[in-house]
Amino acid sequence: MSETEIQTTAPAKPEYHLRPARKQVKPGDVEKKETPQTGKEYNIWYNKWAGGDREDSYSNKVKSQTRCNIKRDAGYTRANSTGMKYCCLFFARGCCPYGYECEYLHDLPSPATSMPDSSKDCFARDKFSDYRDDMGGVGSFSRQNRTLYIGRIKETGPGPETEEIVRRHFKMWGEIVFLRVLQHRSVAFVTYADEANAQFAKEAMACQSMDNDEILNVRWATEDPNPQSKLAEKRRLEEIGSVAIANKLDPRMVDAVRHIRALEDEEAVPEAASPPEKRQKLIEPEP
């Protein structure tokens, strides 16, 4: 293949983009179990009984009956033809019975595709102004959170071995930019490059196990108190905002503003993205 052909050939889509999504379960496959009543009132916010349960709520959790397998389950659905941008929550949990007939996407969130509404997560669920006390649930729209807290990990070896296990199980949901394992504390922190991938991974790995038949406690991580981390996150968000604003603006107007500022500061005129003739017309005063 020639060099020209290599440059003009579009990258091949993943195989599962070219096939219909698989129906993960059949009606009746998943046994629905009611939560045992341990209190007097059921708290729909925390999804548990209140007023009587003094035990750790996760000690009563059972392993999920289903699990999503991206390579096997993902594919196109009705959402690919209707323009729906949100993912199927039940697909992430591995229990969508509709497959290619589903109205939501059966695929990982794409970092290149921005969500229509920042007040919703990648499953179209409304976020809240603050996190729950246990850092579970949908999350908050007050800050962008890309980090998950992974608890109740069974450690059977040294730290690097546990880190490799966590990375292997969580990298399938998106690009990981940071991973830390707290050895002897059965805890890990996983930071994704995109918040939507963290949202997907949180649902996909809730009450799942890795290599040692544990039941993972996956929830949102609290904000990193490190000042350097806060500054780096602030700069990252500013860069994302600048790029998003620049993409919405007319390039000719951007060039004109850059030239005006350069002339005011008596600096060299910066190289522009628009043709010089059009740029000159924009900055010349009208007679």
Side-chain angles (χ1 to χ4, degrees):
M1 183 179 291
S2 66
E3 183 178 353
T4 304
E5 290 176 329
I6 294 175
Q7 293 176 350
T8 57
T9 302
K13 292 184 177 181
E15 183 181 350
Y16 57 77
H17 284 172
L18 308 176
R19 67 173 185 233
R22 172 180 171 271
K23 295 183 178 181
Q24 294 170 301
V25 296
K26 297 178 181 179
D29 283 354
V30 180
E31 182 182 357
K32 189 174 182 180
K33 298 180 180 179
E34 294 186 2
T35 306
Q37 183 171 347
T38 57
K40 297 180 179 180
E41 296 179 353
Y42 191 79
N43 190 322
I44 60 174
W45 174 250
Y46 287 96
N47 194 29
K48 68 175 185 178
W49 288 96
D53 51 339
R54 292 289 181 262
E55 299 179 4
D56 177 13
S57 61
Y58 246 85
S59 63
N60 298 322
K61 294 287 185 180
V62 295
K63 183 180 177 181
S64 176
Q65 301 177 55
T66 59
R67 181 165 180 168
C68 178
N69 185 323
I70 290 294
K71 292 183 178 180
R72 181 188 63 189
D73 299 336
Y76 62 80
T77 64
R78 290 179 179 175
N80 294 96
S81 58
T82 61
M84 169 62 70
K85 303 295 184 183
Y86 296 105
C87 300
C88 175
L89 174 63
F90 299 101
F91 164 73
R93 294 174 176 173
C95 58
C96 181
Y98 298 110
Y100 57 88
E101 298 175 338
C102 186
E103 301 293 340
Y104 291 85
L105 294 174
H106 279 210
D107 197 358
L108 291 174
S110 173
T113 304
S114 59
M115 293 297 167
D117 189 349
S118 60
S119 66
K120 298 179 182 293
D121 69 355
C122 69
F123 304 108
R125 299 179 299 179
D126 290 324
K127 296 181 181 179
F128 298 90
S129 60
D130 203 358
Y131 288 94
R132 294 185 348 188
D133 292 341
D134 63 354
M135 297 302 289
V138 178
S140 170
F141 54 72
S142 60
R143 72 181 178 95
Q144 191 179 82
N145 197 343
R146 301 176 294 131
T147 304
L148 298 178
Y149 166 95
I150 319 297
R152 304 181 75 87
I153 299 173
K154 284 188 179 179
E155 300 181 64
T156 58
E161 181 178 328
T162 304
E163 180 177 330
E164 188 278 329
I165 293 173
V166 175
R167 185 180 299 276
R168 173 160 43 85
H169 282 270
F170 279 83
K171 71 178 182 180
M172 64 182 68
W173 314 117
E175 180 187 355
I176 295 175
V177 296
F178 177 79
L179 191 156
R180 183 185 180 189
V181 173
L182 303 184
Q183 195 172 6
H184 308 306
R185 295 181 62 180
S186 303
V187 169
F189 293 92
V190 178
T191 302
Y192 286 90
D194 190 78
E195 183 184 26
N197 293 101
Q199 295 166 356
F200 194 99
K202 179 178 176 295
E203 293 297 333
M205 294 302 293
C207 293
Q208 299 287 353
S209 62
M210 293 190 289
D211 289 0
N212 301 305
D213 201 32
E214 65 268 73
I215 300 177
L216 297 178
N217 175 11
V218 184
R219 58 184 190 236
W220 294 112
T222 55
E223 188 174 9
D224 192 341
N226 189 331
Q228 293 183 351
S229 299
K230 289 184 177 181
L231 182 60
E233 179 66 10
K234 181 181 178 181
R235 289 175 178 172
R236 189 186 71 86
L237 293 176
E238 288 176 350
E239 290 177 0
I240 293 175
S242 299
V243 172
I245 293 173
N247 291 336
K248 295 291 184 181
L249 296 176
D250 188 336
R252 297 173 300 175
M253 296 301 298
V254 175
D255 291 344
V257 172
R258 292 170 63 197
H259 277 72
I260 291 173
R261 288 180 177 176
L263 292 173
E264 290 176 348
D265 297 337
E266 297 182 353
E267 296 177 354
V269 177
E271 184 179 353
S274 58
E277 298 81 10
K278 294 183 179 180
R279 188 171 65 248
Q280 186 65 26
K281 290 181 180 179
L282 285 171
I283 61 176
E284 284 180 353
E286 295 183 1

